[in-house]
Amino acid sequence: MTAPGYDATFLDVPVPLPAADRVVRELTYVHFTVLLDPARRLAVATGVNIDGAALRDLDRSDGWRLDLRVDAGEQAGADVYADNDLDRGHLVRRSDPVWGAEAEQAECDTFVYPNAAPQAGLFNQSRELWLGLEDHVLAYADTYDARVSVFTAPVLAAEDPPYRGVGIPRLFWKVAAWVARPAPDAEPVLATTGYVLDQTPQLDDIDLETERARLAGEPPPLGPFRIFQVPVADIAALTGLDLGPLAAADRLPAAASVGTRERWVELGALSEIRM
């Protein structure tokens, strides 16, 4: 399984993959790359190139599998998701890299376990909002250029509750990047927006509930998804990743970029995104 993976030159300005200050396995697929943290058995970052003008509508292949290029013990495989309510949450969405001549292989590539992370099984309005963010950004970016690069992964925090040898992430992050052209003859300008999904349960006794779940062999309780638009700089701080030029290109208004979590904008609909 060899593929060139994420292309840092895909947009009209260079946008490198996030850089991690830890040991990672760089796994390349068709149109995307996963940076796998072998200690946590989950991705610390992913990057995908999306060509909106060449996307194809393909049937879902399913068939989740391990990536044979890394040890099974370095991936959160089928055992993590068996006989519980946890979903295999795609990090790079199934539809994102599915464009061009290699679309079929790209779709199949998204069903490898390094491209998954445990998420609450309950589908709700907030989850649909999370899945729709990239479509919304792509439609907006199409005014200027039909190409988008998206980076996403769980926030791998030390306090994530353990379950079957894997820390279950409470937060997920996403950064969308595209090129804007203010005028036909203007130089291309990088633009980005950042988002965080929070699946932490809204329980006053979260520590007690988590411990009970651990002792009972059950997955930790996960609550309704909440989606926030956040400063890209906050994502860098949360994850410890070097996001290169992404933070400086953030479209969240500068007035909202001071303080701590209070500056996060909770989203109830795609129309509330600040671009």
Side-chain angles (χ1 to χ4, degrees):
M1 184 189 299
T2 58
Y6 171 82
D7 181 0
T9 66
F10 183 72
L11 303 180
D12 287 341
V13 295
V15 183
L17 276 171
D21 61 352
R22 65 182 79 189
V23 173
V24 296
R25 309 282 188 251
E26 183 170 339
L27 303 173
T28 59
Y29 306 94
V30 175
H31 304 318
F32 71 97
T33 294
V34 173
L35 300 181
L36 177 68
D37 181 337
R40 286 292 307 264
R41 302 172 62 193
L42 296 170
V44 68
T46 67
V48 61
N49 305 124
I50 308 171
D51 188 340
L55 286 170
R56 295 175 57 187
D57 185 13
L58 300 178
D59 291 337
R60 184 183 178 96
S61 64
D62 276 319
W64 285 95
R65 63 198 184 280
L66 296 173
D67 190 316
L68 299 180
R69 294 174 294 180
V70 293
D71 291 341
E74 296 182 349
Q75 311 171 57
D79 57 315
V80 175
Y81 303 94
D83 302 318
N84 56 41
D85 292 328
L86 294 177
D87 271 358
R88 300 168 178 86
H90 269 88
L91 298 175
V92 172
R93 294 189 312 169
R94 185 189 74 87
S95 58
D96 283 355
V98 181
W99 54 269
E102 297 177 298
E104 289 88 353
Q105 184 60 52
E107 196 275 344
C108 185
D109 282 356
T110 66
F111 286 93
V112 292
Y113 279 110
N115 188 43
Q119 290 185 344
L122 177 65
F123 274 83
N124 54 36
Q125 183 179 1
S126 293
R127 181 164 188 166
E128 296 299 337
L129 173 61
W130 181 251
L131 294 175
L133 283 172
E134 289 160 49
D135 290 334
H136 181 75
V137 172
L138 185 62
Y140 180 89
D142 191 45
T143 303
Y144 307 103
D145 190 297
R147 289 188 166 198
V148 177
S149 292
V150 176
F151 311 90
T152 190
V155 176
L156 302 183
E159 62 270 19
D160 289 338
Y163 175 67
R164 297 182 180 177
V166 174
I168 304 299
R170 300 184 182 191
L171 301 178
F172 290 76
W173 62 272
K174 185 188 301 287
V175 176
W178 69 99
V179 166
R181 293 181 176 83
D185 297 329
E187 290 294 319
V189 177
L190 182 65
T192 64
T193 52
Y195 310 93
V196 166
L197 176 153
D198 186 349
Q199 64 175 1
T200 302
Q202 305 310 300
L203 299 173
D204 291 336
D205 54 349
I206 176 61
D207 291 338
L208 177 60
E209 292 295 326
T210 300
E211 180 63 11
R212 286 174 177 168
R214 186 186 68 79
L215 292 174
E218 297 294 330
L222 301 173
F225 290 3
R226 295 181 298 166
I227 312 296
F228 300 87
Q229 184 173 1
V230 308
V232 176
D234 280 15
I235 294 174
L238 271 174
T239 61
L241 294 170
D242 180 354
L243 298 182
L246 297 174
D250 195 352
R251 284 297 181 92
L252 193 65
S257 297
V258 293
T260 55
R261 186 160 175 159
E262 288 73 22
R263 58 184 159 170
W264 293 14
V265 180
E266 186 164 6
L267 300 176
L270 293 173
S271 59
E272 297 173 3
I273 295 174
R274 304 182 185 185
M275 300 182 68

